[in-house]
Amino acid sequence: MRVEVAEARQVARHALINAGTPPELADIQVAALIEAELRGVASHGLLRLPRLVERIRNGVTDPAARGSGRWRSPAVWEVDGGGGLGPVVACEAISHVSERARETGIALAAIRHAGHLGAIGWYAERIASAGQIAVVVTTSEALVHPWGGRRALIGTNPVAIGVPAEPHPFVLDMATGVVSMGKVHDYANRGKALEPGWALDADGTPTTDARRAREGAITPFGGAKGYGLALGFELLVAGLTGSALGTDVTGTLDSTKPSTKGDVIMVIQPDDGMVAPISAYLDEIRRCPPIDEGTAVAVPGDRGRMRKAGALVEGIELPDEIWAALRGLAADEFQES
Amino acid sequence: MRVEVAEARQVARHALINAGTPPELADIQVAALIEAELRGVASHGLLRLPRLVERIRNGVTDPAARGSGRWRSPAVWEVDGGGGLGPVVACEAISHVSERARETGIALAAIRHAGHLGAIGWYAERIASAGQIAVVVTTSEALVHPWGGRRALIGTNPVAIGVPAEPHPFVLDMATGVVSMGKVHDYANRGKALEPGWALDADGTPTTDARRAREGAITPFGGAKGYGLALGFELLVAGLTGSALGTDVTGTLDSTKPSTKGDVIMVIQPDDGMVAPISAYLDEIRRCPPIDEGTAVAVPGDRGRMRKAGALVEGIELPDEIWAALRGLAADEFQES
């Protein structure tokens, strides 16, 4: 089902407002979800919204919370998200650390007890578009097995890096699993086989059966190195935010438990003279002779930005049942429990 | 050839002192090289020393320079390394940012014009052993091709993460190439074939011929994601330090050009209450049922630490020609040019 962006935005907004979200906070959450749809990251798009509404109705997400922060030290903004919507708490935190980084050179927000941030490239792009360098790392439920191990003990722990450049910033946004659990579910629903090396079943045996993989573990990307990074990010985030570790992380995939993961958002003041050489270097990368004649070398962020330009004109593609669910939620009256 | 650690240290020290290095600075450079040997990272060990001496004799490394720093902003220590030895300049910078991070919560050193840092896990381990979180990123000569491209345009850009834990800190140290150029040279010298997917030849065609790969490019680890990280680190370091980018980077592999790469060392004050839960979590990872019954799951840093314990007793293994070269340099009188 193809839906115009403005209409999708309106429907999603009403769904959140009906669930008790103040309109200006609903706008932020919806902007994050719509941005993911526009860039073709459906796993972090509007399909997340019914779960968010359930979480609000179950009292594990507070749709009015913006998080309460304090300067733990001059360059570290410590935030208790208060169970608020992830993008709301994160954007609030970014306004503090971006301003502070202009003075101190670097500042970070250490956030816990906030909802799922969604696609973290969104934050990195906003920060880099405003002329600062961003590094964002966040944790998730344990879905990834250690390299050489059989059990899911590590989050899919994504990292985003944003660096100012012309005509648009460099934005990397990648999880440390070789594949997302969303994709595994999607393959299971379609009865499609996974690629070898993507996942283990519940016994810890490599499998290409997507239904069995749902109960098992995702393999880290890039073997032992990707495992090392995923684990390093888990520790970095917990060590800074006091968030839960491994299998104690809850609250981004379920609709009944508080969010116990953590988020770290670093903002760094760049050397302003570097925008021109960095932009020229990125163009050199784009012009690199390709291995496959038909496929130019891509700089991270380029393809998503092209998809977005198309989707803004053509609308976004949503599964019928998601669109029906959103319209249902937008029509409901919220019943305070 | 097996050499006692104390003897290797003495010989390496004399080689540097003969080349004009002040003894206390030679000690730091030698400590970095010996540590790499002890942990089994021979590519960053004593084989680098003859090249360092050549660089000093050619006037592109200043063995007496410690780098000159200033606070660009309250949490960013900007360092011009003055062509000094990498470990000397880095250790000096770390003393400043570690102290500052205790106040500000996070501080970073942005270093340019310093020599090769060697294995950057050494710095991360020192910082984490002293109770702070470390993130170290550095760039190198362009040896890695962009994903889908045929030319080496990106450094092997390693990252190290150190996090305090008991009984020893977590220390990740990994380059973003699937293999090091040192290993490619080693395979070429032994006439051994590379594994498929490791490298391209000078025309940008995948090859398993190590001699052809020496003239070509290393593949990023983990496909498009590893490429994204390698490029992200290249931009992050250049954006902060003003260092050169891509094929403009010189001075870590050659003996005639100034060092134009950059190094970023971040020190972050952790949540002190997290050492116990992080240590327990790392033990849970180590106890994860292994896929291969005989091979326990390893936490990054564990294997190197075990190797070090053994090597301290048994000595280090050095190729005969390297040991002969070091002994020659240790015996030489330095001729001021």
Side-chain angles (χ1 to χ4, degrees):
Chain A
M1 165 112 225
R2 192 165 284 277
V3 183
E4 270 190 34
V5 177
E7 192 184 356
R9 198 184 299 274
Q10 266 314 92
V11 166
R13 190 169 182 272
H14 280 298
L16 280 170
I17 291 172
N18 276 348
T21 311
E24 71 277 21
L25 305 198
D27 286 344
I28 299 171
Q29 176 67 64
V30 170
L33 298 173
I34 294 277
E35 184 74 10
E37 290 290 347
L38 290 172
R39 292 188 186 244
V41 192
S43 61
H44 289 59
L46 292 168
L47 73 78
R48 297 262 179 175
L49 206 144
R51 179 60 47 90
L52 283 176
V53 169
E54 274 182 75
R55 290 184 59 81
I56 294 170
R57 293 193 168 159
N58 289 335
V60 288
T61 290
D62 175 355
R66 294 167 183 266
S68 60
R70 68 174 191 105
W71 289 105
R72 183 195 291 177
S73 43
V76 177
W77 180 245
E78 178 182 275
V79 179
D80 178 339
L85 295 164
V88 169
V89 175
C91 288
E92 180 81 19
I94 286 169
S95 69
H96 291 275
V97 291
S98 287
E99 193 188 337
R100 182 57 58 96
R102 270 180 221 111
E103 280 170 53
T104 53
I106 180 168
L108 75 80
I111 305 173
R112 59 176 168 175
H113 202 202
H116 190 242
L117 259 49
I120 56 177
W122 189 56
Y123 309 97
E125 176 134 15
R126 286 162 69 112
I127 294 165
S129 295
Q132 293 177 305
I133 293 175
V135 180
V136 185
V137 188
T138 175
T139 53
S140 82
E141 275 84 351
L143 293 172
V144 172
H145 64 82
W147 188 243
R150 288 178 182 270
R151 300 275 175 273
L153 293 177
I154 309 171
T156 52
N157 305 351
V159 61
I161 297 176
V163 179
E166 296 295 344
H168 35 242
F170 169 87
V171 181
L172 173 72
D173 176 359
M174 50 167 270
T176 46
V178 71
V179 64
S180 69
M181 193 48 100
K183 196 173 219 174
V184 171
H185 279 265
D186 183 48
Y187 274 47
N189 294 341
R190 297 167 194 246
K192 219 173 139 184
L194 302 180
E195 288 189 24
W198 279 8
L200 309 179
D201 65 18
D203 300 324
T205 306
T207 186
T208 56
D209 182 335
R211 279 156 316 207
R212 293 174 61 83
R214 281 185 304 197
E215 313 303 321
I218 294 167
T219 296
F221 93 100
K225 291 187 179 193
Y227 153 58
L229 269 182
L231 183 55
F233 293 155
E234 185 101 16
L235 303 182
L236 192 68
V237 169
L240 282 173
T241 66
S243 59
L245 286 154
T247 53
D248 290 336
V249 175
T250 58
T252 66
L253 299 172
D254 62 80
S255 56
T256 57
K257 293 174 192 153
S259 167
T260 61
K261 51 86 189 170
D263 314 295
V264 169
I265 303 174
M266 247 179 237
V267 178
I268 318 176
Q269 207 58 22
D271 178 333
D272 286 331
M274 291 306 291
V275 171
I278 283 175
S279 306
Y281 173 61
L282 289 175
D283 279 339
E284 188 185 353
I285 298 269
R286 292 182 182 103
R287 287 191 314 264
C288 179
I291 289 186
D292 169 3
E293 279 308 324
T295 312
V297 169
V299 163
D302 283 0
R303 281 179 191 154
R305 211 172 278 116
M306 271 176 57
R307 277 202 204 93
K308 179 177 173 178
L312 283 172
V313 177
E314 292 161 17
I316 54 184
E317 195 65 47
L318 286 177
D320 292 353
E321 65 277 17
I322 303 278
W323 183 235
L326 296 183
R327 288 172 57 95
L329 292 169
D332 279 0
E333 286 282 312
F334 176 61
Q335 304 296 328
E336 190 77 49
S337 60
Chain B
M1 166 112 222
R2 191 164 284 278
V3 183
E4 270 190 34
V5 177
E7 193 184 356
R9 197 184 300 274
Q10 266 314 93
V11 166
R13 190 170 182 273
H14 280 298
L16 280 170
I17 291 172
N18 275 349
T21 312
E24 70 276 23
L25 305 198
D27 286 344
I28 299 171
Q29 176 67 63
V30 169
L33 298 173
I34 293 277
E35 185 74 10
E37 291 290 348
L38 290 172
R39 294 187 185 242
V41 191
S43 61
H44 288 59
L46 291 168
L47 73 79
R48 296 264 180 173
L49 206 143
R51 180 60 47 92
L52 282 176
V53 169
E54 273 182 77
R55 290 183 58 80
I56 294 170
R57 293 192 169 162
N58 288 335
V60 287
T61 289
D62 174 355
R66 296 166 183 266
S68 59
R70 69 173 190 104
W71 290 106
R72 183 195 291 177
S73 44
V76 176
W77 180 244
E78 179 182 275
V79 179
D80 178 338
L85 295 164
V88 168
V89 175
C91 288
E92 181 81 18
I94 287 170
S95 69
H96 290 275
V97 290
S98 287
E99 193 188 336
R100 182 56 58 94
R102 270 179 220 110
E103 279 170 54
T104 53
I106 180 168
L108 74 79
I111 304 173
R112 60 176 166 174
H113 201 201
H116 190 242
L117 258 50
I120 57 177
W122 188 56
Y123 309 96
E125 177 135 15
R126 286 163 69 112
I127 294 166
S129 296
Q132 294 178 304
I133 293 174
V135 180
V136 185
V137 188
T138 175
T139 53
S140 82
E141 274 85 350
L143 293 171
V144 172
H145 64 83
W147 189 242
R150 289 178 182 267
R151 299 275 176 273
L153 293 178
I154 310 171
T156 52
N157 305 352
V159 60
I161 298 177
V163 179
E166 295 295 343
H168 35 242
F170 169 89
V171 180
L172 172 73
D173 176 357
M174 49 168 271
T176 45
V178 72
V179 64
S180 68
M181 193 48 100
K183 196 174 221 175
V184 171
H185 279 265
D186 183 47
Y187 275 47
N189 293 341
R190 298 165 193 247
K192 219 173 139 183
L194 302 180
E195 288 187 26
W198 278 9
L200 309 179
D201 65 18
D203 299 324
T205 305
T207 185
T208 57
D209 182 335
R211 279 158 315 208
R212 293 174 61 84
R214 280 186 303 198
E215 313 304 321
I218 294 166
T219 296
F221 93 101
K225 290 187 179 194
Y227 153 57
L229 269 180
L231 183 55
F233 293 156
E234 185 102 16
L235 302 183
L236 192 67
V237 169
L240 282 171
T241 67
S243 59
L245 286 154
T247 52
D248 290 334
V249 175
T250 60
T252 67
L253 299 172
D254 62 80
S255 56
T256 55
K257 293 174 192 153
S259 167
T260 60
K261 53 86 188 170
D263 313 296
V264 169
I265 303 174
M266 249 179 238
V267 178
I268 320 178
Q269 207 59 22
D271 178 334
D272 286 331
M274 291 306 291
V275 171
I278 283 174
S279 305
Y281 173 62
L282 289 174
D283 280 340
E284 190 185 352
I285 299 268
R286 293 183 181 101
R287 287 192 315 264
C288 179
I291 288 185
D292 169 3
E293 280 308 324
T295 312
V297 169
V299 162
D302 283 1
R303 281 180 190 153
R305 213 172 276 116
M306 273 176 54
R307 277 203 205 94
K308 178 178 175 179
L312 283 172
V313 177
E314 292 160 17
I316 55 183
E317 195 65 48
L318 286 178
D320 293 352
E321 64 278 17
I322 303 278
W323 183 234
L326 295 183
R327 287 172 57 95
L329 292 171
D332 278 1
E333 286 283 311
F334 177 62
Q335 304 296 328
E336 190 77 49
S337 60

